[in-house]
Amino acid sequence: MRTALRLLAIALTLAALPVRGEDRPRPVSGSEMRAEARSLAAGDPRLLAEVAEAEAEAERGVLGSGPSSIRQTVPAGATWALPITRSSHAAATIAVRRIGAAPVALTILDAAGRQLCTDNSGSALLTCRIAAGGGPLVARVANRGADATDVLLLMN
């Protein structure tokens, strides 16, 4: 599944780039990311099976019909927060793909402000998996670098 998540992150990066004539990238749907991941799998049965597994989980975890990814510029030393509504019957996977060199950290909080998960590994792809349960969450992305950086927040 980790390989499929990497493929989805690559697909998200490619699909979120601005289209000629547009100055801002458009939101990318989960189906677009999974289609790009299938293409990037280049017929590899193992990778295609992982993409299929990701597709099967596409409607689980996070509620709402909006885009499953958001691109945001986070200024140096700043934190960006996004409220998320999760499903009460399925786990949620929330990942951040860093674009640029600035180190970032991902933290997921519940409605009471309790930390449920954090990934400050310094990797280009940070991931948190949250157990099933109702109630809102907040995803926080902290830029620990000296320069602004773009991030892509990916939710299942």
Side-chain angles (χ1 to χ4, degrees):
M1 186 66 181
R2 188 108 173 127
T3 305
L5 190 55
R6 284 189 186 122
L7 282 175
L8 288 171
I10 292 167
L12 177 60
T13 301
L14 295 174
L17 294 175
V19 176
R20 181 182 297 207
E22 296 179 7
D23 59 350
R24 298 272 310 154
R26 64 177 177 74
V28 180
S29 72
S31 60
E32 289 173 308
M33 287 185 290
R34 291 184 296 277
E36 184 70 18
R38 278 192 305 278
S39 173
L40 292 170
D44 181 320
R46 185 182 59 81
L47 294 176
L48 289 172
E50 289 189 30
V51 172
E53 183 180 339
E55 287 177 322
E57 293 182 1
E59 297 302 317
R60 298 171 28 185
V62 176
L63 298 177
S65 59
S68 59
S69 68
I70 298 170
R71 184 175 179 151
Q72 179 71 30
T73 300
V74 183
T79 299
W80 170 59
L82 179 73
I84 299 170
T85 303
R86 68 176 162 164
S87 169
S88 62
H89 64 275
T93 301
I94 303 164
V96 168
R97 168 75 165 95
R98 174 177 46 88
I99 303 170
V104 296
L106 171 64
T107 303
I108 307 300
L109 306 168
D110 67 9
R114 290 181 297 250
Q115 181 177 308
L116 301 178
C117 177
T118 189
D119 185 343
N120 57 9
S121 63
S123 173
L125 181 64
L126 306 172
T127 307
C128 278
R129 185 161 173 87
I130 307 300
L137 302 173
V138 175
R140 288 191 346 198
V141 180
N143 180 350
R144 297 183 174 174
D147 296 313
T149 193
D150 281 1
V151 296
L152 298 169
L153 183 74
L154 171 65
M155 301 169 283
N156 70 328

